[in-house]
Amino acid sequence: MKTRTRHGIILIGVVTVLTSLLFVYNSTSADTPGDQLHSDGHQIDAASRQTFSLEGYISIIDHKPLKTHCRSCALVTSSGHMTGSGRGAEIDETECVIRMNDAPTRRYQKDVGQHTNLRVIAHSSMQRVLRNRYELLNSSQDTFFIFWGPGNYMRRDGKGLVYNNLRLMKQLMPKLQVYIISRPKMLQFDELFKKETGKDRKRSNSWLSTGWFTMAIAIEMCDRINVYGMVPPEFCKSPHTKPSVPYHYYEPSGTDECTMYVTHEQGRHGSHHRFITEKRVFAKWARMFNIHFYQPDWGPPPVINNNNNTNS
């Protein structure tokens, strides 16, 4: 009940912010298309990588699938481990840069870079993204935005509040490339989580994190994935031995990252993310796909072969 109330308040705020876009869009659209396209200094030949149709990610207006492909991707997390990393130039040299929710780049370019080709956004972060629209939405003609959310908020029959707001946002800012994760694809993600962990997401009172969706999408669209700021699964097992960093690099006074991970992992009442469980899956996927972890730098441990049979 509390979750529904909170979501209702968020959606009221979203409607208010969207309405304000009517008054600011004309002033921002005065830039020439060339100015908007080159505004972040990272022009990519989109045609060269629009080769694969990624089913389940559909555009908000015409419901066409997302078409993109990258040889190499930098998946930049929002972790406090990025602070002071100096990885910005390295990240910006990657063909495609993927970010999550409302993670900013302005003022943090030295550590996290400034280019963004794909941003994966939870429905609950929509209001914050709109609040920071001058940085995250304006001048983002070459960025794909993929939104995810519960089925009742994303339904396309006129009753999906988030879906309706995204359509309005697209109408106000028509050059934005806005996509949603379809209902069948969301169910596939639930089944994937159950297959990989043996846990039913709903029965365990958990929500898949934006990181889960982002990693899965990256595997579909990228040949190589460099993940920045993601700790290994056992990193927070003894948090007193690890340096304390904030959950978000752009909220230095916010909750400690390991505290957030452990609290959610152990939570049994209400809705929680299983951050540590998801990271165990990511470590497994790193053995199967071309995934590499930096800041901190780590790799999955080798699989121990318990087969003691010897040839006679």
Side-chain angles (χ1 to χ4, degrees):
M1 189 67 173
K2 290 182 180 179
T3 300
R4 290 181 179 273
T5 302
R6 185 173 67 251
H7 289 168
I9 294 172
I10 290 172
L11 289 170
I12 292 172
V14 168
V15 172
T16 302
V17 176
L18 278 170
T19 302
S20 71
L21 282 174
L22 278 169
F23 302 98
V24 302
Y25 180 67
N26 286 336
S27 62
T28 61
S29 62
D31 296 333
T32 64
D35 290 338
Q36 291 181 340
L37 191 61
H38 293 84
S39 59
D40 68 353
H42 189 51
Q43 173 65 19
I44 287 192
D45 183 5
S48 68
R49 55 185 175 84
Q50 290 184 348
T51 54
F52 296 150
S53 291
L54 304 183
E55 300 298 331
Y57 313 105
I58 56 176
S59 60
I60 195 69
I61 297 296
D62 58 16
H63 306 151
K64 292 183 179 180
L66 173 65
K67 292 184 178 181
T68 190
H69 172 254
C70 304
R71 293 179 296 275
S72 63
C73 294
L75 194 167
V76 185
T77 74
S78 303
S79 169
H81 285 281
M82 296 305 298
T83 302
S85 68
R87 298 273 193 173
E90 176 182 328
I91 289 169
D92 283 341
E93 289 175 356
T94 313
E95 179 183 3
C96 296
V97 181
I98 304 172
R99 304 185 193 275
M100 291 177 273
N101 293 322
D102 57 319
T105 58
R106 189 178 302 165
R107 300 183 303 278
Y108 304 98
Q109 298 98 318
K110 184 177 180 181
D111 294 329
V112 304
Q114 62 180 338
H115 308 147
T116 306
N117 302 95
L118 172 68
R119 189 176 288 270
V120 182
I121 305 170
H123 70 287
S124 56
S125 295
M126 183 176 174
Q127 185 178 11
R128 296 196 300 273
V129 169
L130 290 171
R131 190 180 300 133
N132 298 318
R133 59 190 174 274
Y134 294 105
E135 176 184 355
L136 302 181
L137 297 180
N138 293 349
S139 303
S140 296
Q141 184 177 339
D142 59 342
T143 301
F144 295 115
F145 296 88
I146 299 180
F147 288 81
W148 69 271
N152 57 323
Y153 288 156
M154 307 302 284
R155 53 194 297 178
R156 291 182 280 165
D157 59 359
K159 299 179 181 180
L161 294 180
V162 171
Y163 179 80
N164 292 341
N165 286 326
L166 289 174
R167 284 184 64 91
L168 175 59
M169 182 176 75
K170 173 66 173 177
Q171 291 167 1
L172 296 174
M173 306 180 75
K175 293 179 181 179
L176 286 184
Q177 301 186 79
V178 182
Y179 293 78
I180 63 170
I181 301 179
S182 69
R183 176 62 176 165
K185 190 71 173 183
M186 290 291 290
L187 294 176
Q188 288 180 19
F189 280 126
D190 280 352
E191 287 300 313
L192 179 62
F193 181 79
K194 185 175 182 179
K195 176 183 177 182
E196 294 288 2
T197 67
K199 300 176 182 179
D200 185 276
R201 180 189 65 77
K202 293 182 179 179
R203 290 181 181 178
S204 65
N205 292 321
S206 60
W207 285 98
L208 299 175
S209 73
T210 301
W212 175 273
F213 294 110
T214 305
M215 181 68 82
I217 293 170
I219 289 174
E220 291 188 58
M221 67 176 281
C222 309
D223 295 335
R224 176 190 171 105
I225 306 169
N226 296 334
V227 183
Y228 291 88
M230 183 177 292
V231 298
E234 305 304 320
F235 185 87
C236 296
K237 193 171 185 179
S238 301
H240 61 279
T241 65
K242 309 297 183 189
S244 177
V245 301
Y247 179 57
H248 290 148
Y249 64 80
Y250 50 92
E251 295 177 338
S253 300
T255 304
D256 173 79
E257 183 177 72
C258 277
T259 299
M260 176 74 77
Y261 288 171
V262 173
T263 300
H264 272 260
E265 191 71 22
Q266 296 177 348
R268 292 296 178 265
H269 301 288
S271 297
H272 300 276
H273 294 306
R274 305 302 180 197
F275 292 115
I276 297 174
T277 297
E278 290 183 2
K279 285 172 176 54
R280 293 193 184 104
V281 176
F282 298 159
K284 174 184 175 183
W285 288 350
R287 299 188 190 101
M288 304 164 59
F289 305 103
N290 197 3
I291 303 174
H292 308 267
F293 299 95
Y294 304 99
Q295 203 61 34
D297 296 7
W298 63 279
V303 177
I304 298 176
N305 188 352
N306 293 321
N307 186 358
N308 294 322
N309 293 334
T310 59
N311 293 329
S312 55

